Every structure is written in C-alpha cells, then in structure tokens.
Amino acid sequence: MSALASRLVRWQVRHGRHDLPWQRTRDPYRIWLSEVMLQQTQVATVIPYYERFLARFPDVKSLAGAPLDDVLVLWSGLGYYSRARNLHAAARAVTESHGGRFPPTSKALASLPGVGRSTAAAIAVFAFGGREAILDGNVKRVLARHFAVRGYPGEKRVENRLWKLAESQVPAKDVERYTQALMDLGASVCTRARPACASCPLRASCEARSQGKVQAYPRPRPRKPVPLRKTAMLLLLREGEVLLEKRPPAGIWGGLWCLPEISPNADPRDYCRRRLGARLASARRLPLLRHAFTHFTLDITPVVCQVAGASPSASEPGQVWLPLEEAAQAAVPAPVRKLLNSLQAA
Ligand code: ADE
C-alpha cells in the first residue's frame, strides 16, 4: 500500500465519518441515490432530502414506477434538476434492462444516465467491494495539492493526469475505507478556502505544502464573467390561488412548475389580458431576488398581481391554479418556493 493510502486509511478510522445515512449499507440503490445527491451538493444539505426520498421510494422498483413529477417534488430545492430526471431514467433502465438489479461493475454502472466515471466507481466500491479509483471535486483538490499538479482540472490534460494519480494510489485492500477517507479529508481538512494542514495525515508528503503554496492548487476555473439575465415573475393571485406553469422538459428547471415570466419592462396587464383574458385589480413589485446558476446570474423582479373577477377561465395545458400552500409544496425551484412562502406569511 502506498504511504498516502496507508496514512489515509489509518486517519479515517479515527477522524473520518462513520455514521452517514448511506454508510453501513451495501444496498446499491441507497448508495447510488446518495452519490447522485452528493454530486455538487454538501452532505448536510443532502441528508434530509435523502431520508425523505427513501421514505417515499424505498427501492428502485418504486422509483421506476413513479411519475417524474413525484420525483421532482422530492428534489425540489436541491438544484441541478437534470440529476432527478436522470435518476428516474436510470431507475427505469435498471428495472427494464437489468432485471431490477444494479449491475456490479463500474463500466456497466457508468452506462446509466447521470452516472459518470467517478460516481460509477464510488458505487462499485461501496456497494460491490470493487477496487476502483474515484475522482470527484474534493478528491481532485486533495491529489492536486499532494502531487502539486499544475493547471485547471477542468482541462482534459490535467484531468487525465489526476485520474492516473488516483488510480496509482488505490490500495489492494481496504478500498472502501480508503475511498471514504479521500472524501472525508477533502470535505473536512483539505478544504478549498481554509485547509487545516496542521491536522492533515498527508502533511509530511504534501508537495503543495512543501512549496508553501497550498492555496495555489488546484488552479481555479479561468474566470469568465457570468452574464446577468433579468426576468419578472408574476405571482398571479385569484381567490387565494396562484397560477403555475410547467417548464418544458429540457433546460434550466426542466419539468418544474414555475411562475409565468415576462420581460421586466413589460406590462403584466398585457400578459393577463392576452394569456388569461382577465383584468388586473392591482400589480405590486417586490424587492429584487438574485439567483446564481453555474453559467449565469438571474435577477428576478417578483410582481404580485391580483386578478380581477372569479372567471374560471379554463387554464391552458401546462398551467394550474393552486392554493398558495399547495403551490409552495409542488415541484418548484428554490426561488419560486421562497416567493410563494413569503406571500403565505404576508
Ligand atoms: N461525497 C460524495 N460521496 C460521498 C460519500 N459517500 N460520503 C460523503 N461524502 C460524499
């Protein structure tokens, strides 16, 4: 076993995490679900979502049999919704093409929607005792620092180098503990902004530390300024109900229920007349709400509109009027839920 691996394994026993809800199981369904939720999302955020999800969908069969909408409701607020759509598609693939059982090799696992090379390897290790290397964002940081790997890991050349290093360190035994150790070290000691080098089991061999340049690794994403987009979201209210619209299945917030959007310069009365054949009794702007996506920032101007009359204008397909309370519990993205909750509180 390499010095790095044996230090990590010993460290994990005393200082690593042992009681996360997806540990102490070999159920590939539970492990797969946790790994997908943990892509781009921190453990503390994931735990309540993970538990609610399992309570509703205890196995792959129940997930595969559910409508996508029910899955999106449980994902609502967790972000990166393509993960939920892929999760649902993968559950269907497992039931339809694999007889309801997750395939045990990382190669076959990686053919499931939403399961990349590192996620496949983590499932193979934790569920099937495989001997595979993982390389998620935390592990990239640990390895880039330990081996002083230059360059931005989003670049193929750098990523390939990191994969080679990751593969070279996987021990012959204790792979599970070693893998957990890498994740735990990246999350708790070798953090991006404030690494705790004094308590790191790898401090003696860390190249970045010996250069006195821990913070310089890994090189950050070359900063392109993210564009700013602006939109107005209409909270159309009628007799305690609010209008929601379903987004098309692909793209940002695909498949989620959202508020109707217009340009911030447009007049909500026009929207109302054209789309609902109704008049507005009042329209009032709320303070700007900023939402950060990976590739752009969205400035939202919420407009609370009282729709005049109780005319039960049949809503178009993909539109529903829902009581505020119900709307806030539907499959809506986080800023929409925030707005709906603020109206309920008011
Ligand atoms: N991040 C990704 N996978 C994880 C796991 N199994 N435990 C803790 N953090 C993780």
Side-chain angles (χ1 to χ4, degrees), residues 3 34 78 182 209 301 316:
S34 71
L78 205 49
L182 272 176
R209 181 167 153 87
T301 303
E316 296 177 31

Side-chain angles (χ1 to χ4, degrees), residues 17 20 22-23 34-35 38-39 41 43 122 126 136 138 180 183-184 187:
R17 298 171 288 187
L20 299 171
W22 43 87
Q23 292 179 312
S34 71
E35 293 301 336
L38 288 159
Q39 294 165 352
T41 311
V43 166
F126 291 133
D136 65 10
N138 280 343
Q180 190 67 49
M183 292 174 170
D184 293 353

Side-chain angles (χ1 to χ4, degrees), residues 7-164:
R7 285 173 181 147
L8 280 176
V9 166
R10 260 181 286 134
W11 174 85
Q12 209 284 334
V13 176
R14 288 195 54 194
H15 302 288
R17 298 171 288 187
H18 305 98
D19 298 309
L20 299 171
W22 43 87
Q23 292 179 312
R24 302 180 174 187
T25 177
R26 290 219 159 213
D27 179 352
Y29 171 72
R30 291 173 171 246
I31 288 164
W32 163 68
L33 176 65
S34 71
E35 293 301 336
V36 172
M37 286 188 164
L38 288 159
Q39 294 165 352
Q40 295 125 330
T41 311
Q42 299 207 339
V43 166
T45 308
V46 162
I47 288 174
Y49 280 89
Y50 179 76
E51 293 187 331
R52 276 195 297 269
F53 200 97
L54 280 176
R56 172 74 177 74
F57 302 121
D59 49 35
V60 72
K61 192 162 165 248
S62 57
L63 176 57
L68 176 60
D69 256 5
D70 294 8
V71 182
L72 288 170
V73 170
L74 286 165
W75 210 272
S76 172
L78 205 49
Y80 303 96
Y81 296 91
S82 61
R83 291 186 296 172
R85 295 192 295 272
N86 283 330
L87 196 81
H88 189 241
R92 295 199 160 170
V94 167
T95 52
E96 285 159 22
S97 313
H98 297 275
R101 289 182 185 278
F102 279 83
T105 65
S106 63
K107 185 151 178 270
L109 288 162
S111 73
L112 297 171
V115 179
R117 178 172 170 189
S118 184
T119 300
I123 303 167
V125 168
F126 291 133
F128 299 109
R131 185 171 174 266
E132 305 271 352
I134 59 157
L135 191 66
D136 65 10
N138 280 343
V139 178
K140 283 179 182 167
R141 186 170 59 251
V142 171
L143 295 179
R145 286 176 175 166
H146 187 269
F147 296 104
V149 175
R150 293 168 186 274
Y152 166 53
E155 241 178 79
K156 207 68 208 160
R157 187 182 52 80
V158 180
E159 198 190 347
N160 290 341
R161 169 97 204 285
L162 289 168
W163 269 116
K164 285 267 178 290

